[in-house]
């Protein structure tokens, strides 16, 4: 076995897994708290990438300033997503909410194609020196991606476990009626939940451009992968989504290297089907 190739694939898997983690954490948070499947989550990530392209190439902001601005803008947009496409339909069936977010997804996708076109757009990276660690090659931009991912996950953990907002969010997710009876403003919690999830989606978008191009078409494939991660972990389990996202990113890269590149993406869905057959609630879910 060539250990350099193995190390390179582990690093590549860590990069993909980092994106899966950030994306799936937001998707899982919304379902865990609101019991809502946000079909527009992929388009929010796509908007993060495309808006970063606009503010860096059009306005002239640096990558870091542009990324911070985009994440804040998209977090604020999460408030509108809740008030316009989710909250008005929460009293109806789950299918109505799903269809509402599907409609938003198509609006954002087609609007982006009109504004930016279908051609992938490159974003200037803040730095892109190539480093060699043993036989593994990595760039400083890739190291930044992994570092930001783990920092964001730690920040989300601290918010959910150490802050008043986090405690109210977890209480609302566990028992909506009980949370209301003890005086928690669940409407504000729902607003905050979608704002955090939208910010995470945008963060995934601004990180993707460090290893790929920004494109209006990047949201849908990522959404499908994100659902695979969330389902394998257990719907609504944010910690499980983080663990499974990293695991699937790593094993997907190894599968592509040692088994089949052609069937690499199918590997994720085979794992999902096996988990659903053996443990329908997911690896970290409860019955």
């Amino acid at each position: 076995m060539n250990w350099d190739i193995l190390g390179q694939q582990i690093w590549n898997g860590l990069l993909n897994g980092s994106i899966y983690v950030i994306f799936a954490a937001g998707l899982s948070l919304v379902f865990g708290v609101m019991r809502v499947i946000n079909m527009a989550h992929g388009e929010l990530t796509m908007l993060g990438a495309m808006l970063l392209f606009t503010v860096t190439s059009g306005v002239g902001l640096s990558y870091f300033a542009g990324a911070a601005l985009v994440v804040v803008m998209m977090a604020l947009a999460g408030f509108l997503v809740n008030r316009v496409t989710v909250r008005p339909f929460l009293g109806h069936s789950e299918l109505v909410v799903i269809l509402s977010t599907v409609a938003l997804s198509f609006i954002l996708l087609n609007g982006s194609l009109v504004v930016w076109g279908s051609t992938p757009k490159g974003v200037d990276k803040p730095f892109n020196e190539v480093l060699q660690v043993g036989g593994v090659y990595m760039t400083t931009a890739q190291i930044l991606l992994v570092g930001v991912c783990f920092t964001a996950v730690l920040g989300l953990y601290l918010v959910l476990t150490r802050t008043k907002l986090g405690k109210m969010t977890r209480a609302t997710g566990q028992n909506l009626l009980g949370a209301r009876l003890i005086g928690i403003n669940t409407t504000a919690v729902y607003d905050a939940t979608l704002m955090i999830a939208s910010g995470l989606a945008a963060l995934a978008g601004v990180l993707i451009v460090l290893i790929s191009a920004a494109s209006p078409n990047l949201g849908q494939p990522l959404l499908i992968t994100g659902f695979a991660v969330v389902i394998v972990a257990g719907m609504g389990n944010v910690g499980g989504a983080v663990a499974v996202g990293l695991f699937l990113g790593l094993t997907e890269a190894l599968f592509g290297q040692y088994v089949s590149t052609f069937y690499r993406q199918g590997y994720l869905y085979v794992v999902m089907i096996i988990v659903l057959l053996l443990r329908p609630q997911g690896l970290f879910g409860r019955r």
Side-chain angles (χ1 to χ4, degrees), residues 144-156:
L144 173 65
L145 186 157
V146 174
V148 171
C149 167
F150 281 97
T151 302
V153 169
L154 176 61
L156 179 62

Side-chain angles (χ1 to χ4, degrees), residues 122-238:
V123 175
D124 291 334
K125 300 175 180 62
F127 33 73
N128 205 30
E129 293 84 3
V130 178
L131 305 175
Q132 183 178 1
V133 180
V136 178
Y137 291 89
M138 58 186 71
T139 66
T140 47
Q142 292 173 343
I143 296 173
L144 173 65
L145 186 157
V146 174
V148 171
C149 167
F150 281 97
T151 302
V153 169
L154 176 61
L156 179 62
Y157 170 78
L158 293 175
V159 168
L160 291 178
T161 59
R162 303 294 177 86
T163 67
K164 183 179 179 180
L165 172 62
K167 293 176 182 178
M168 292 191 299
T169 300
R170 287 185 289 121
T172 301
Q174 290 170 7
N175 190 321
L176 177 60
L177 179 58
R180 286 173 175 169
L181 289 175
I182 63 174
I184 293 177
N185 185 345
T186 55
T187 298
V189 169
Y190 281 1
D191 288 336
T193 297
L194 261 169
M195 289 175 71
I196 293 172
S198 298
L200 289 172
L203 180 60
V206 302
L207 291 177
I208 284 174
V209 301
L210 292 174
I211 57 175
S212 182
S215 168
N217 296 309
L218 69 82
Q220 289 298 314
L222 190 57
L223 180 68
I224 297 173
T225 301
F227 273 128
V229 172
V230 170
I231 290 170
V232 171
M235 296 291 287
N237 192 308
V238 178

Side-chain angles (χ1 to χ4, degrees), residues 7-206:
Q8 189 67 57
Q9 290 305 320
I10 290 175
W11 175 248
N12 293 340
L14 184 60
L15 293 174
N16 289 334
S18 297
I19 298 296
Y20 296 165
V21 163
I22 293 293
F23 185 85
L27 198 62
S28 186
L29 179 66
V30 171
F31 184 84
V33 176
M34 304 175 66
R35 299 298 184 268
V36 167
I37 298 174
N38 183 9
M39 300 297 292
H41 198 71
E43 268 54 59
L44 296 178
T45 294
M46 175 272 293
L47 272 183
M50 299 309 299
L51 287 174
L52 180 63
F53 164 76
T54 299
V55 298
T56 53
S57 63
V59 180
L61 295 181
S62 68
Y63 172 86
F64 292 109
L69 176 62
V70 167
V71 170
V72 172
M73 288 172 56
M74 292 302 298
L76 295 175
F79 176 84
L80 295 177
V81 171
N82 182 42
R83 292 303 178 102
V84 175
T85 64
V86 176
R87 184 184 173 193
F89 307 105
L90 286 178
H92 303 277
S93 71
E94 295 178 356
L95 180 60
V96 174
V97 182
I98 291 174
L99 291 176
S100 176
T101 58
V102 167
L104 175 63
S105 173
F106 278 106
I107 291 171
L108 294 178
L109 173 59
N110 288 281
S112 297
L113 287 170
V114 171
V115 174
W116 288 292
S118 59
T119 305
K121 307 291 192 296
V123 175
D124 291 334
K125 300 175 180 62
F127 33 73
N128 205 30
E129 293 84 3
V130 178
L131 305 175
Q132 183 178 1
V133 180
V136 178
Y137 291 89
M138 58 186 71
T139 66
T140 47
Q142 292 173 343
I143 296 173
L144 173 65
L145 186 157
V146 174
V148 171
C149 167
F150 281 97
T151 302
V153 169
L154 176 61
L156 179 62
Y157 170 78
L158 293 175
V159 168
L160 291 178
T161 59
R162 303 294 177 86
T163 67
K164 183 179 179 180
L165 172 62
K167 293 176 182 178
M168 292 191 299
T169 300
R170 287 185 289 121
T172 301
Q174 290 170 7
N175 190 321
L176 177 60
L177 179 58
R180 286 173 175 169
L181 289 175
I182 63 174
I184 293 177
N185 185 345
T186 55
T187 298
V189 169
Y190 281 1
D191 288 336
T193 297
L194 261 169
M195 289 175 71
I196 293 172
S198 298
L200 289 172
L203 180 60
V206 302

Side-chain angles (χ1 to χ4, degrees), residues 4-14 250 253-254 257-258:
D4 291 342
I5 292 177
L6 175 63
Q8 189 67 57
Q9 290 305 320
I10 290 175
W11 175 248
N12 293 340
L14 184 60
L250 289 168
L254 294 174
Q257 175 65 39
Y258 295 109

